[in-house]
Amino acid sequence: MKTTQLSITLILSVILMASCNNRHQRADAYGNFEAVETVISAESNGRILMLTVNEGEVLRAGDTTGLIDTTDLHYRRLQMLAQRRAVAGKASNISAQAEVYRQQKANLMTDKRRIENLLKEEAATPKQFDDISGAIEVIDRQIETVKSQLVNLADELAVIDAQLAQVGEALKRCYIINPVSGTVLNRFAEAGEITAFGKPLYKIADLKTMDLRVYISGDMLSQVKTGQEAEVLIDTPEGPASLTGKVSWISPSAEFTPKIIQTREERVNLVYAVKLSVTNDGSLKISMPAEVNFNK
């Protein structure tokens, strides 16, 4: 009986010692989780009429999240539309006048041919021919003047159309459209506030997949490759939890050991930054620390 108890005691001691050794085994690298954070800013000036985003809310790319007052732009557009109608009306009147001149010229050309025939029969005078030719030249100058006026009005219409397009684009920018899918991290403005172009409204990041940035020494560089899977350990109340990460980027150049490495021996070395892509099951947060074992 005593021999059996002694054997059990020895077995438990070995298990505890192995557990302690595994617990204190150093990881290959240490780092913190990060995500690509996008700050959504206002693209127009004015009062914020609506801003529907809330911190922690998940948004999709293309969602309308707010509206900035469009009153001034709306009235400016109405003014330009009225100007365009007025210019288009002038162009219509001038085009009608041009048709009148063309018809007058056609009539004069008919009279000119008749006078030419009468001159051959000596039934008309050279003065009559000169008068009809002069009248045709006057009509030609009037037609050229009308054409010039139409060109100027066409240029004026083009300018107004460009201004209308510019106002239309400004109206579109009054609608706050979310550009990327992700989770709202911070909200910087409220409905009713006056905003300006470039002023931040909220910050968003895609947290479905997190990047873990760690640093490895030069002697480990040959063991780490892009696309390689590694074990990622995070702290939980029940103890370390294991996740799988994939190396997505390795720095091509060395740098001094970052401040997050605390030991004196490692702080004097040059290291390489490595990013691992880790699927987030909801437990990962920005700046959360983690450990990596490249050889699982």
Side-chain angles (χ1 to χ4, degrees):
M1 187 66 178
K2 293 183 179 179
T3 303
T4 303
Q5 291 179 348
L6 181 60
S7 300
I8 294 174
T9 303
L10 290 174
I11 293 172
L12 291 176
S13 299
V14 171
I15 293 175
L16 288 174
M17 290 177 63
S19 175
C20 291
N21 289 334
N22 290 334
R23 188 179 303 171
H24 292 88
Q25 182 180 3
R26 294 183 58 187
D28 294 331
Y30 305 86
N32 298 83
F33 284 102
E34 58 186 32
V36 178
E37 301 178 6
T38 304
V39 177
I40 311 303
S41 302
E43 297 185 61
S44 181
N45 302 326
R47 186 181 301 279
I48 301 175
L49 300 181
M50 177 183 68
L51 188 61
T52 60
V53 298
N54 296 305
E55 294 181 355
E57 181 181 0
V58 178
L59 301 177
R60 295 175 299 178
D63 286 347
T64 300
T65 58
L67 175 65
I68 299 174
D69 190 10
T70 62
T71 303
D72 291 342
L73 292 173
H74 173 69
Y75 284 118
R76 191 187 307 174
R77 183 174 181 274
L78 291 179
Q79 181 183 7
M80 290 178 180
L81 288 173
Q83 291 177 349
R84 195 186 192 286
R85 287 193 295 268
V87 173
K90 290 181 182 179
S92 298
N93 293 335
I94 293 176
S95 296
Q97 185 64 41
E99 290 299 323
V100 172
Y101 289 147
R102 292 190 186 96
Q103 185 60 47
Q104 289 177 349
K105 181 179 179 180
N107 296 337
L108 290 173
M109 292 298 295
T110 301
D111 293 341
K112 182 179 180 181
R113 286 192 294 271
R114 289 173 181 171
I115 292 174
E116 286 176 342
N117 293 330
L118 291 173
L119 279 174
K120 292 178 182 178
E121 299 174 0
E122 297 182 353
T125 63
K127 183 178 184 305
Q128 289 177 313
F129 181 79
D130 293 340
D131 289 343
I132 197 70
S133 298
I136 292 174
E137 290 179 0
V138 171
I139 288 294
D140 285 337
R141 293 192 185 96
Q142 289 175 333
I143 291 175
E144 290 299 322
T145 300
V146 168
K147 288 181 179 179
S148 177
Q149 291 176 344
L150 286 174
V151 170
N152 292 335
L153 288 176
D155 292 340
E156 190 172 347
L157 283 174
V159 171
I160 294 175
D161 287 339
Q163 292 174 341
L164 281 171
Q166 186 177 15
V167 171
E169 185 64 25
L171 283 169
K172 289 181 181 179
R173 294 183 177 182
C174 288
Y175 291 87
I176 304 168
I177 307 299
N178 185 60
V180 295
S181 299
T183 303
V184 178
L185 302 180
N186 301 103
R187 172 170 169 160
F188 306 121
E190 298 293 337
E193 294 180 356
I194 301 298
T195 189
F197 183 88
K199 185 177 180 180
L201 300 176
Y202 62 93
K203 183 191 295 184
I204 189 171
D206 186 1
L207 303 181
K208 292 181 180 179
T209 301
M210 304 284 287
D211 289 329
L212 175 61
R213 180 188 289 267
V214 298
Y215 296 88
I216 61 174
S217 57
D219 56 356
M220 289 186 58
L221 197 59
S222 60
Q223 305 175 23
V224 181
K225 299 178 181 179
T226 303
Q228 173 184 343
E229 290 189 349
E231 181 186 35
V232 176
L233 298 175
I234 60 173
D235 294 329
T236 67
E238 293 77 20
S242 177
L243 302 173
T244 300
K246 180 178 290 187
V247 178
S248 59
W249 173 79
I250 302 174
S251 175
S253 59
E255 56 187 275
F256 283 103
T257 307
K259 295 179 179 179
I260 59 173
I261 304 298
Q262 298 299 327
T263 62
R264 183 181 301 274
E265 294 80 5
E266 291 178 334
R267 285 177 60 86
V268 297
N269 295 330
L270 290 175
V271 294
Y272 292 82
V274 176
K275 278 187 179 180
L276 295 97
S277 179
V278 183
T279 301
N280 189 3
D281 58 359
S283 60
L284 305 182
K285 306 297 186 292
I286 295 176
S287 299
M288 182 176 177
E291 304 175 3
V292 176
N293 291 316
F294 292 101
N295 298 315
K296 294 190 290 185

